[in-house]
Amino acid sequence: MLGSLAGLGTLAALAAAGCAAPSGVGSGQTRLRYWHLFGGGDGANMAAMLDAFQAEHPDLDLQAATLSWGSPYYTKLGMAGAGGRAPEVAAMHLARLAGFAPGRLLDPFDLDLLAEHGITEADFPPDLWQRGMVDGELYAIPLDTHPLVLYYNTDVCERAGLLDGDGRLRAIEGADAFAEAVRAAGEVTGGPGLVAETLGADTIGPWRMFNAFYAQTGGQLLTEDGTRIAIDDAKARTVLDYMRRLTQEGLCVERADYPGAVGIFAAGETGFFINGEWEVTTYTNNGLPFSMARIPNLFGTAATQADCHAFVLPHQRGRGGASNEAAHAFVAWMLRHSVDWAAGGHVPAYLPTLEEPDYLAMRPQSEYREVIDEVVLDPRVWFAGSASPLWLELGAVFSGVLLGTRTPEDALTEARHRLQQLLDTPSPFGETA
């Protein structure tokens, strides 16, 4: 997707022209422009937080813009940074940082300014904070992590004998135990006990499932420096064989695109749903009897696939002064108020929030908060992260395993081939950090 930025240099002037409004026109306020890509329930939560921030900061003129999710957003953000006259602050997926040429398209945060507003490294999981660091400088601050989780229909699971005395899902350990739990749920519903995204245009669900299970084996996709394939064939085959088992044995709905999977679980047709946690608002509003848990430990650890929403400072020529101070104040305020953001299902990355009574009272949002220490982000390469070429390429390959159109052996061979093609493709930004 970032390949669409190959003509970045020629488009930079256009982006700069589009961001060139004067600061604080006629008001004495400091202008603070913020770009983000949040729609749906996330968009509503973000809008409420922005209104609250503006009400508390009348000296600032907050100008928020919601842009199209995915490739269109990152294309425009990259163009704006290349032009040097970007918005003061923006949202971005943390795993895409390596592809955004920190130091050229992004500016680093001022750690002293952040500290003045009460934000320090100690407030975050070490791994997530370090993912925002490049060459000793901080280029991204995590707002949350949004992991792959396990939704469960509490009525179905109760009838299947899968809940404990508190109405929570009993602990499940091991691949066979999970298969049996899914089978038990299916006996209640009269069909597959599990649904997940398995197909569709630009499908990414199969990749996310593979990555979660593969991470649990301790396997790596690429070497630490992101230059070579490091797939452990035996571990990958174990995961792919299991994925095929889920559909082949009728445990998982074989053919479901993303909207279809959401709807199947909403209709009570399955006991379980594997997906990102952001559909919590959908099911809460629909009155579905459900809860959520972290992905069970099937293959050795409790790891799960995830990405993080983060704040970044798109590159501005001559960044500094009141507008830059406002950007830091804004980020700090949003982090300190991230209990409001957690309503949408995301796990706050700002650790003090995880202990707030208002957050702990959120159910099911707080039920899987321990996953903050187990999330696995993509390798640090330009083609990784949410809505990235990595997700789309491997999502298409592993979809075939779930559908039975590819054998696990063939899928592994094709995954290696596509990974090598991505490794051989230069970053559209040239050399990145």
Side-chain angles (χ1 to χ4, degrees):
M1 290 187 170
L2 285 176
S4 61
L5 295 178
L8 194 62
T10 60
L11 296 173
L14 295 176
C19 301
S23 177
V25 178
S27 67
Q29 296 174 302
T30 297
R31 182 184 61 181
L32 175 61
R33 294 163 298 178
Y34 168 52
W35 286 6
H36 68 85
L37 69 175
F38 301 117
D42 279 352
N45 290 338
M46 179 58 65
M49 293 175 71
L50 296 178
D51 287 344
F53 174 84
Q54 181 66 89
E56 290 187 24
H57 298 82
D59 56 321
L60 301 180
D61 176 22
L62 177 61
Q63 300 174 8
T66 308
L67 305 180
S68 297
W69 194 91
S71 182
Y73 178 77
Y74 286 112
T75 298
K76 187 165 185 179
L77 186 63
M79 290 164 55
R85 299 180 68 178
E88 280 68 41
V89 63
M92 184 173 149
H93 289 97
L94 185 57
R96 295 196 71 142
L97 180 63
F100 255 73
R104 288 166 45 209
L105 299 185
L106 301 174
D107 294 329
F109 281 90
D110 185 322
L111 296 182
D112 291 334
L113 270 180
L114 287 174
E116 287 178 15
H117 292 283
I119 301 299
T120 67
E121 179 179 356
D123 297 322
F124 300 85
D127 288 348
L128 297 188
W129 180 270
Q130 286 301 316
R131 280 300 294 256
M133 300 289 293
V134 178
D135 293 336
E137 295 192 283
L138 183 68
Y139 284 91
I141 302 179
L143 169 63
D144 63 41
T145 186
H146 40 284
L148 200 68
V149 297
L150 183 67
Y151 296 75
Y152 59 98
N153 183 304
T154 51
D155 283 354
V156 171
C157 288
E158 182 177 23
R159 292 165 60 192
L162 299 173
L163 302 186
D164 63 18
D166 295 323
R168 293 182 172 88
L169 186 67
R170 296 182 187 277
I172 298 172
E173 292 282 335
D176 289 338
F178 181 61
E180 289 310 308
V182 171
R183 196 183 309 278
E187 290 173 357
V188 172
T189 60
L194 170 68
V195 68
E197 178 191 6
T198 64
L199 55 80
D202 294 341
T203 183
I204 57 175
W207 149 253
R208 297 176 69 232
M209 182 187 292
F210 170 83
N211 198 28
F213 293 165
Y214 182 61
Q216 292 187 352
T217 71
Q220 288 185 287
L221 199 68
L222 302 176
T223 55
E224 289 294 335
D225 61 4
T227 61
R228 291 179 290 111
I229 295 172
I231 294 175
D232 183 310
D233 286 358
K235 292 177 178 178
R237 272 294 310 277
T238 295
V239 170
L240 291 171
D241 286 343
Y242 188 74
M243 290 171 63
R244 182 61 192 128
R245 173 188 175 187
L246 290 174
T247 49
Q248 190 172 43
E249 294 185 5
L251 299 174
C252 180
V253 176
E254 187 172 80
R255 302 183 65 83
D257 62 9
Y258 187 90
V262 172
I264 287 169
F265 186 71
E269 296 178 25
T270 65
F272 295 104
F273 179 30
I274 292 179
N275 192 34
E277 32 64 36
W278 48 80
E279 293 293 349
V280 62
T281 304
T282 299
Y283 298 132
T284 300
N285 291 343
N286 289 349
L288 183 74
F290 83 104
S291 191
M292 299 154 74
R294 59 194 301 169
I295 295 290
N297 174 5
L298 306 187
F299 297 105
T301 71
T304 190
Q305 183 275 339
D307 203 341
C308 303
H309 296 120
F311 293 111
V312 295
L313 304 177
H315 175 58
Q316 292 182 334
R317 289 193 294 270
R319 174 179 283 276
S323 62
N324 187 51
E325 292 182 16
H328 284 72
F330 170 79
V331 169
W333 189 95
M334 296 293 280
L335 293 168
R336 293 197 308 273
H337 292 80
S338 54
V339 67
D340 299 320
W341 183 244
H346 309 312
V347 182
Y350 182 62
L351 294 177
T353 300
L354 300 183
E355 304 302 324
E356 290 189 26
D358 287 348
Y359 175 70
L360 294 174
M362 282 185 186
R363 301 288 173 82
Q365 291 91 332
S366 65
E367 296 288 333
Y368 47 90
R369 64 189 181 277
E370 292 88 356
V371 77
I372 193 75
D373 295 319
E374 300 284 351
V375 295
V376 175
L377 274 63
D378 287 359
R380 299 183 190 227
V381 288
W382 75 264
F383 51 82
S386 294
S388 67
L390 174 67
W391 288 31
L392 294 173
E393 292 290 339
L394 297 193
V397 173
F398 298 142
S399 171
V401 174
L402 292 166
L403 299 177
T405 59
R406 285 186 187 273
T407 65
E409 297 91 337
D410 175 68
L412 183 54
T413 298
E414 181 64 16
R416 282 181 166 276
H417 172 68
R418 296 195 184 193
L419 264 178
Q420 191 59 55
Q421 286 186 317
L422 289 170
L423 286 169
D424 293 341
T425 302
S427 166
F429 300 117
E431 185 179 353
T432 60

